[in-house]
Amino acid sequence: MNDFLSRPSRRSVLTAAGAALVAGTAAACGSGSSSSHGSASETITLYNAQHPQTTDAMISAFTAQTGIKVRVVNDDEDVLTAQLEQEGSNSPADVFYTENSNWLQQLADRKMLATVDAATRAGIPKADSAIDGSWVGISARISALIYNPAKIGAADLPTTIAAMADRTYKGRLEIAPSETDFWPLVCSVARATGNAATLTWLNGLKTNAGAGDNVPDNETLSSDVNQGTTDFAVINHYYFYRLRAELGQNAMNAKLAYFAPGDPGFVRAISGAAILKSSKHQAAAQKFLAFMTAEAGQTVLAHGQSYEYPLRAGVSANVQLPPLSSYKTNSFDPADLGTGETAKTLLQQSGLM
């Protein structure tokens, strides 16, 4: 894994008791007394699968505004989802913040999430949150191709995600199947073509990637393309901007491209948050989600190093990014992309996991 704006180590296993980190201005690991109003003396526990840099900035601003401290447990979203399911009503978690909404939907399907306050949800477009109010969208990310022009011209790139499996591209791409950002793409292809065709497509990707069929994450994919280790890969847009911010424009060899309008590979994915039904700090947890979706929290997101798109109307994204409305993504909303288990099962059946 590369250094740039990393997230929790993939496949590392944490326990809530042994690996908790305190972020922002949090000073104590113990949870404070429960309150129906969310008092400044409270500490809530956040299971965080977003990039720590993004989350830490949000928490610092939240604690400065409310006095409520946040204890953070960092890990990958599939690991934390499994941990929450295992812990059940005994989980110490109050809030779960994920990179992709399908993990939240998985917990919603298991009736493990409380309803997010209507006022909080009202600040975010309805299509970017759960229909039943069980989770709320925080930011948007767009799937993209990162390519090295010295290895492949823009005109020779695949225009559809299906074409990545064509024999034309054998030995010219890498994939990161254990990267959970890849999983909404798998779900999108399955939604468009069915499971059987998706398995055929995954097998084609595996063949074309060869030794590059198990790259650990999008950070490595981006770095490999930039260094010319491979010709191209599929990532979320912000990895390109983060790498450029770290290396500087003069060290950037890679460029971004997008699939054809409406293609199953052209996905608008949602990073979201939810409150566990078992939380003993419901009011404080609701305050945290209200902050994340309010102008203050969304501005932290827009001005930080995340390069993701804030969802609240009136809060502009980083000036380096194209307008969110300029992307011609497919019409699937989060509910169409299923749960994390949907993609995981297909990837396991293909032998990529």
Side-chain angles (χ1 to χ4, degrees), residues 18 26-27 30 38 59 61 96 108 158 183 205 208 290 293 304 320 323 326 336 346:
I59 290 172
F96 188 25
W183 298 16
L205 286 186
N208 284 351
T293 56
Q320 297 180 49
S326 68
D336 293 324
L346 289 166

Side-chain angles (χ1 to χ4, degrees), residues 86-170:
Q86 182 177 25
E87 293 170 342
S89 60
N90 294 319
S91 176
D94 298 297
V95 176
F96 188 25
Y97 184 20
T98 67
E99 286 193 286
N100 296 287
S101 60
N102 47 4
W103 300 100
L104 299 174
Q105 191 57 49
Q106 183 166 316
L107 296 181
D109 290 348
R110 288 163 170 67
K111 310 299 181 187
M112 293 179 65
L113 302 180
T115 300
V116 178
D117 284 348
T120 297
R121 290 183 276 124
I124 301 298
K126 286 185 178 179
D128 294 329
S129 296
I131 296 172
D132 65 356
S134 57
W135 55 266
V136 63
I138 305 297
S139 61
R141 49 262 294 281
I142 306 297
S143 60
L145 288 168
I146 185 169
Y147 71 102
N148 190 317
K151 305 273 292 187
I152 185 170
D156 295 323
L157 289 168
T159 57
T160 67
I161 198 166
M164 287 179 66
D166 291 350
R167 295 175 66 179
T168 305
Y169 297 111
K170 187 173 183 179

Side-chain angles (χ1 to χ4, degrees), residues 16-351:
L21 302 175
V22 178
T25 56
C29 288
S31 294
S33 59
S34 159
S35 165
S36 61
H37 303 292
S39 72
S41 62
E42 284 190 82
T43 297
I44 61 172
T45 296
L46 170 66
Y47 278 18
N48 176 54
Q50 253 287 8
H51 295 263
Q53 298 86 350
T54 300
T55 306
D56 291 352
M58 187 79 75
I59 290 172
S60 294
F62 170 70
T63 301
Q65 183 180 96
T66 66
I68 298 171
K69 301 175 179 64
V70 182
R71 172 180 176 261
V72 184
V73 178
N74 287 309
D75 211 323
D76 295 321
E77 50 198 356
D78 55 331
V79 175
L80 289 175
T81 301
Q83 185 170 326
L84 284 165
E85 291 178 348
Q86 182 177 25
E87 293 170 342
S89 60
N90 294 319
S91 176
D94 298 297
V95 176
F96 188 25
Y97 184 20
T98 67
E99 286 193 286
N100 296 287
S101 60
N102 47 4
W103 300 100
L104 299 174
Q105 191 57 49
Q106 183 166 316
L107 296 181
D109 290 348
R110 288 163 170 67
K111 310 299 181 187
M112 293 179 65
L113 302 180
T115 300
V116 178
D117 284 348
T120 297
R121 290 183 276 124
I124 301 298
K126 286 185 178 179
D128 294 329
S129 296
I131 296 172
D132 65 356
S134 57
W135 55 266
V136 63
I138 305 297
S139 61
R141 49 262 294 281
I142 306 297
S143 60
L145 288 168
I146 185 169
Y147 71 102
N148 190 317
K151 305 273 292 187
I152 185 170
D156 295 323
L157 289 168
T159 57
T160 67
I161 198 166
M164 287 179 66
D166 291 350
R167 295 175 66 179
T168 305
Y169 297 111
K170 187 173 183 179
R172 306 193 71 177
L173 59 91
E174 288 182 347
I175 56 175
S178 60
E179 163 69 71
T180 51
D181 284 346
F182 182 63
W183 298 16
L185 296 175
V186 176
C187 289
S188 182
V189 173
R191 179 73 169 75
T193 67
N195 289 354
T198 302
L199 280 173
T200 300
W201 169 70
L202 288 172
N203 288 329
L205 286 186
K206 184 178 181 180
T207 299
N208 284 351
D213 70 345
N214 197 22
V215 174
D217 46 50
N218 279 340
E219 290 90 344
T220 305
L221 288 177
S222 301
S223 180
D224 283 355
V225 171
N226 195 55
Q227 295 177 27
T229 304
T230 190
D231 296 10
F232 71 94
V234 62
I235 60 171
N236 279 333
H237 76 279
Y238 58 87
Y239 290 95
F240 171 85
Y241 293 95
R242 291 177 177 186
L243 182 62
R244 189 172 69 178
E246 177 184 304
L247 299 180
Q249 180 59 52
N250 291 339
M252 283 299 289
N253 304 310
K255 292 186 175 181
L256 277 185
Y258 299 92
F259 292 119
D263 185 74
F266 205 170
V267 172
R268 168 177 162 144
I270 299 299
S271 170
I275 299 168
L276 276 299
K277 192 176 287 183
S278 58
S279 167
K280 304 298 190 294
H281 306 89
Q282 292 284 334
Q286 291 283 2
K287 281 190 173 182
F288 186 49
L289 264 57
F291 178 84
M292 297 174 83
T293 56
E295 182 175 349
Q298 294 279 288
T299 300
V300 169
L301 185 72
H303 292 179
Q305 297 176 306
S306 77
Y307 293 99
E308 295 184 32
Y309 287 92
L311 291 174
R312 189 179 183 88
V315 179
S316 300
N318 189 299
V319 295
Q320 297 180 49
L321 300 175
L324 183 58
S325 60
S326 68
Y327 296 109
K328 307 300 182 186
T329 58
N330 63 46
S331 59
F332 299 153
D333 61 30
D336 293 324
L337 298 183
T339 68
E341 286 298 325
T342 306
K344 184 176 182 179
T345 299
L346 289 166
L347 287 163
Q348 288 175 331
Q349 290 175 348
S350 71

